[in-house]
Each structure stands twice: as C-alpha cells, then as structure tokens.
Amino acid sequence: TLVAIPLILLTASLAFPIKVAILFGISLLGIYICGKSAELLGVHDHGSIVWDEIAGFYLTALFVPVTYLWLVLGFIFFRIFDILKPWPIKQLDAQVHGGLGIMLDDIIAAIFAGVILYILRLMLMYFGVSDI
C-alpha cells in the first residue's frame, strides 16, 4: 500500500480529472497485471500482488488533501476496509474472479475509506478546523 505514496505525491498538484484518468489507467492495467500474476502464481490475490493496493490507496487519497495526516488516516482506513472486507467487499471478492476481482475489492475498500475521510474533513471544517 505504501508504494502508492510516491505516485500520490508526484501527482498531487495535477488537476482532479487528470488524477482520475491516471487512476483509470492504473486500474485497467491492474486488471491485466493482477490477473496474469494470479494465474502465474496459481493463487487468487496472492500477498505479493500489490498493484491493487496501489490503485486502492491512490483512490483513497483523491478524497482529501495530500498532507501527512490525511495520508496516514487514509492508509489506516483503507487497510481496515481491505483487511476486514465488510459487505459488499467480501461478497464481491468471492464472486468476481481473475484480475477484475483482485482489483475490485480494493477499489470498493478505497471508496469506503475515502468517503469516511471526506465526511471527517467536512465535519472538521464545519467546526472551524482548517485543513490539516
């Protein structure tokens, strides 16, 4: 997951639509890379396959400013959802196979984490805490 941080930092100043295009490209490429890796390793979503983690954490970071605090919180929330796999992540992981399945559970975990971060940021702003 931490491998995504250089990419997040390198693209932090880019316009949001460009970052979304990068995420889209990473995800499409990831479907192939993760699927081929799983096929070669003979294990679905082997721990050494990290492309899905990169795409997931990159997506999580799109929801908040790129600061030390938000990256740490994003990492924590993303990993929680990726590890615990609450509904519907666990069901999708079990039902969707191949590279798409490997990528999809991390993308959904990233959306969950990102939404929580975004709501937390809105709450802080509501109470007058400037971006931290």
Side-chain angles (χ1 to χ4, degrees):
T1 305
L2 295 175
V3 176
I5 290 178
L7 179 63
I8 293 166
L9 295 175
L10 284 170
T11 61
S13 64
L14 297 177
F16 185 75
I18 295 172
K19 290 191 240 184
V20 171
I22 291 168
L23 174 65
F24 187 71
I26 291 169
S27 298
L28 282 179
L29 189 57
I31 292 169
Y32 173 77
I33 289 171
C34 292
K36 193 66 172 172
S37 298
E39 179 184 317
L40 292 171
L41 293 168
V43 178
H44 175 74
D45 207 357
H46 189 275
S48 65
I49 302 172
V50 296
W51 195 273
D52 53 332
E53 308 283 332
I54 294 167
F57 192 38
Y58 188 80
L59 173 57
T60 299
L62 290 181
F63 285 85
V64 291
V66 178
T67 66
Y68 177 75
L69 176 64
W70 289 115
L71 286 177
V72 169
L73 289 174
F75 176 84
I76 291 168
F77 282 114
F78 173 67
R79 293 302 300 148
I80 287 170
F81 285 112
D82 190 33
I83 292 167
L84 296 180
K85 298 189 187 316
W87 183 91
I89 299 170
K90 190 173 197 165
Q91 287 71 20
L92 286 170
D93 190 43
Q95 295 174 356
V96 182
H97 303 287
L100 179 61
I102 294 170
M103 290 296 296
L104 195 56
D105 74 310
D106 286 77
I107 296 297
I108 303 298
I111 292 170
F112 282 16
V115 167
I116 287 176
L117 291 176
Y118 185 75
I119 291 169
L120 178 60
R121 182 173 179 233
L122 289 177
M123 289 172 53
L124 289 171
M125 290 168 58
Y126 178 80
F127 289 109
V129 178
S130 61
D131 267 338
I132 47 177

